[in-house]
Amino acid sequence: MKETKTSNAPAAIGPYSQAVTMGNILFTSGQIPVNPSTGEIPDGVEAQAEQAMTNVKNLIEAAGGKIENVVKTTVFIKDMNDFAKINEIYAKYFTEPYPARSCVEVARLPKDVMLEIEAIVEL
């Protein structure tokens, strides 16, 4: 197993890696919408979705991958009523055939953000 670290995504805040590679498959940890340069969390679900997706993309690129090779994502959202807004931002990052995806509503996320996204990528 090989660890991927980048300053272009939030640093791990616990005993986990930002991402790991096993063979030619990259597994990202869940990315919350923290700007890695400032530590700030943007206001609003659309801005948070954009930041979380940017963090996922930056992690993938740090491992030498491409967002086009994402095969599966999991999206955790605080309020299912925000699904359509999050989906609009999410769709800007992918083209057909789209990755498989799970989306679940959760009670609470780290730093009380509105969403968290993780990805599995073929390198």
Side-chain angles (χ1 to χ4, degrees), residues 4-77:
T4 294
K5 286 185 180 181
T6 181
S7 60
N8 292 324
I13 54 175
Y16 61 90
S17 299
Q18 287 176 303
V20 295
T21 303
M22 182 66 83
N24 68 333
I25 304 294
L26 175 74
F27 300 86
T28 74
S29 289
Q31 295 301 298
I32 60 173
V34 172
N35 180 313
S37 300
T38 65
E40 294 179 7
I41 297 168
D43 292 328
V45 70
E46 292 98 335
Q48 287 196 18
E50 190 74 51
Q51 184 65 61
M53 285 301 304
T54 297
N55 293 343
V56 169
K57 183 175 184 280
N58 289 345
L59 260 180
I60 293 167
E61 290 174 353
K66 298 178 185 175
I67 199 155
E68 295 87 10
N69 293 334
V70 171
V71 295
K72 170 79 166 72
T73 64
T74 304
V75 181
F76 305 94
I77 62 176

Side-chain angles (χ1 to χ4, degrees), residues 63-112:
K66 298 178 185 175
I67 199 155
E68 295 87 10
N69 293 334
V70 171
V71 295
K72 170 79 166 72
T73 64
T74 304
V75 181
F76 305 94
I77 62 176
K78 195 170 181 177
D79 185 349
M80 196 57 80
N81 292 316
D82 290 331
F83 180 78
K85 292 176 184 176
I86 293 168
N87 215 34
E88 278 184 43
I89 303 303
Y90 178 96
K92 292 175 18 181
Y93 287 82
F94 299 109
T95 57
E96 291 187 41
Y98 299 111
R101 177 177 72 181
S102 300
C103 181
V104 294
E105 182 180 74
V106 296
R108 193 166 180 205
L109 291 162
K111 298 188 179 274
D112 290 319

